[in-house]
Amino acid sequence: MRARARALRARGHNIRSVARTLSLPYTTVWHWCVDRPQRAVVGTAARCFRCSPDDSNPTDPAAYAYLLGLYLGDGHLAVSPKVPVLRVACTDTYPGLVDACAAAMLATLALRVQRIQKKGCVSVESSGTHWPCLLPQHGPGRKHERPIVLADWQRQIVEAHPGDFLRGLFHSDGCRFANRVVVRGKEYVYPRYMFTNESADIMGLCQWGLDLLGIAWRMNRRNSLSVARRDAVAALDRHVGPKT
């Protein structure tokens, strides 16, 4: 209630109007909004839609859905006594992927992003106290060794932006390539998508995202999903496409 009162006050309402709107005593609202100095909201706290009383959705939900897919694939949220750090490992082969990851972090929460060169990959990193609010799947140990379940509010975002979510998953743990098969001595070449992940929960989320778009898939191994039908590949191309 105090946060709602201060939010109304910040939008220009006077004390009497706030008190009337919230059915509170005038003096109570005055003490909350005027008598005690308020600390300015700075840093990622000002951008965290999970903590803001005025926002319930990300400013750019498509960017969040894409970043969520990247995080579930190749991301890691390091939570320490200091500031949490979100890290997503992007291969050197696709500089466009590095740029897209950094742009998604900035659109979602980050005030700044670092690119740290490592052997064979670039670690795209952002420090922010409120990253755990937006990625509640973080925890000790590897993702495939613990449950990965989306919160209800995350599922709503993915349901609205399944293509962006799948693009993040396939850009991290997936690929699009030319599959070659020989039938009766004749070679056929056709595009195919593969997604590989050791977590049964994350694999299930990928299947769910494909089902939302009506894209046919099949499991070709325990930890590997294939999209190979011509119409299914064409549909996934509209949302994912090859890495750049």
Side-chain angles (χ1 to χ4, degrees), residues 179 190 192-195 203 207 210-211 215-221 223-229 232:
N179 191 44
Y190 62 91
R192 182 182 185 185
Y193 280 93
M194 298 286 291
F195 177 75
M203 183 62 70
Q207 296 167 355
L210 292 168
D211 289 342
I215 296 175
W217 55 270
R218 68 179 182 87
M219 297 297 295
N220 60 318
R221 293 196 305 274
N223 63 343
S224 179
L225 176 151
S226 168
V227 175
R229 284 174 44 176

Side-chain angles (χ1 to χ4, degrees), residues 40-58:
V41 178
V42 297
T44 57
R47 304 193 64 197
C48 179
F49 65 92
R50 294 297 299 163
C51 296
S52 171
D54 298 322
D55 299 318
S56 58
N57 293 299

Side-chain angles (χ1 to χ4, degrees), residues 31-199:
H31 280 296
W32 284 353
C33 299
V34 179
D35 190 34
R36 298 181 182 181
Q38 301 178 43
R39 293 190 302 172
V41 178
V42 297
T44 57
R47 304 193 64 197
C48 179
F49 65 92
R50 294 297 299 163
C51 296
S52 171
D54 298 322
D55 299 318
S56 58
N57 293 299
T59 303
D60 190 336
Y64 175 80
Y66 176 61
L67 182 61
L68 177 61
L70 288 177
Y71 164 73
L72 292 177
D74 287 331
H76 170 66
L77 181 57
V79 179
S80 67
K82 296 183 179 180
V83 180
V85 181
L86 174 61
R87 299 186 177 100
V88 178
C90 301
T91 177
D92 283 337
T93 310
Y94 306 109
L97 172 58
V98 177
D99 292 339
C101 178
M105 286 186 181
L106 290 168
T108 300
L109 182 73
L111 298 176
R112 64 185 67 85
V113 172
Q114 288 183 297
R115 306 181 189 205
I116 300 177
Q117 183 65 54
K118 297 187 176 182
K119 186 176 181 180
C121 71
V122 175
S123 180
V124 183
E125 304 185 1
S126 169
S127 300
T129 304
H130 288 258
W131 278 121
C133 304
L134 305 186
L135 298 170
Q137 287 69 39
H138 72 89
R142 300 176 180 178
K143 296 190 190 80
H144 68 274
E145 296 175 344
R146 52 188 171 84
I148 300 295
V149 180
L150 296 187
D152 290 342
W153 60 268
Q154 289 178 301
R155 292 183 67 87
Q156 291 174 5
I157 293 173
V158 172
E159 286 173 345
H161 302 275
D164 297 286
F165 177 64
L166 288 171
R167 187 162 59 94
L169 288 177
F170 278 94
H171 279 185
S172 55
D173 280 344
C175 63
R176 183 188 189 277
F177 63 99
N179 191 44
R180 300 176 184 275
V181 296
V182 178
V183 179
R184 298 175 183 176
K186 185 175 181 179
E187 183 181 68
Y188 296 88
V189 181
Y190 62 91
R192 182 182 185 185
Y193 280 93
M194 298 286 291
F195 177 75
T196 304
N197 198 290
E198 289 295 329
S199 168

